[in-house]
Amino acid sequence: VLGDVGAAIARCEEALALARVGGTPQLVAACLRSLAAAIVIRGELDRAQSLVEESLSIVRRPNEPRAVAECLETAAGIAAAGGEGTRAAALFGAAEEVLASIGATRTPERQPWIDVYQEAARLKLEPGRFEEEQERGRELPLDDAIELATSREVVVSSGGR
């Protein structure tokens, strides 16, 4: 499966179907995030966004910070893939802050995916702007970060594009 996006997507869809039948809501949410992260690679941004929003609606209720952070990271990747560098940077910052609030860090297996989409976001912004927006994201209240992740609208800071 490694390197074969189509096979990865098929496995994620199978896992999601099984989780919907007999799994916990948290397992369904994890499968939704995994599938979203896979299909964004194929450019299915609208579908990926819908999956992230569904996952977020599940994990937000019981307040699962790590899962919420992964939703924010995935939404950031979707934004970056869609050319929304400002939104992506803010969401990456918000995800980092959620993890920091519980004394956690990103899981290592997510890092290569994150690196790709952080670089994509950086390429859409002027030098230094990614870090500014990432810091702005760290300062967002959680409800505002979730709104940014689910709005599909670019929320721009006072400093520019």
Side-chain angles (χ1 to χ4, degrees), residues 56 60 68 72 91 94 141-151:
L56 196 50
R60 184 172 182 206
V68 169
L72 295 175
L91 286 168
L142 183 57
D143 287 342
D144 290 354
I146 290 170
E147 176 63 26
L148 182 60
T150 59
S151 71

Side-chain angles (χ1 to χ4, degrees), residues 29-123:
C31 290
L32 289 163
R33 289 190 304 278
S34 294
L35 181 56
I39 66 173
V40 74
I41 294 167
R42 213 163 51 186
E44 295 180 38
L45 305 186
D46 288 338
R47 182 171 177 223
Q49 181 68 32
S50 295
L51 294 168
V52 167
E53 289 176 12
E54 184 180 351
S55 180
L56 196 50
S57 74
I58 294 167
V59 299
R60 184 172 182 206
R61 280 183 231 125
N63 191 23
E64 297 183 31
R66 180 173 289 284
V68 169
E70 288 182 6
C71 286
L72 295 175
E73 288 172 342
T74 306
I78 295 164
E84 299 176 76
T86 299
R87 182 168 170 247
L91 286 168
F92 280 124
E96 289 170 5
E97 185 59 32
V98 170
L99 289 172
S101 75
I102 59 167
T105 57
R106 183 179 294 127
T107 56
E109 62 271 8
R110 288 186 62 82
Q111 194 61 53
W113 189 91
I114 299 292
D115 290 345
V116 166
Y117 290 103
Q118 284 186 340
E119 184 58 26
R122 275 188 178 87
L123 291 172

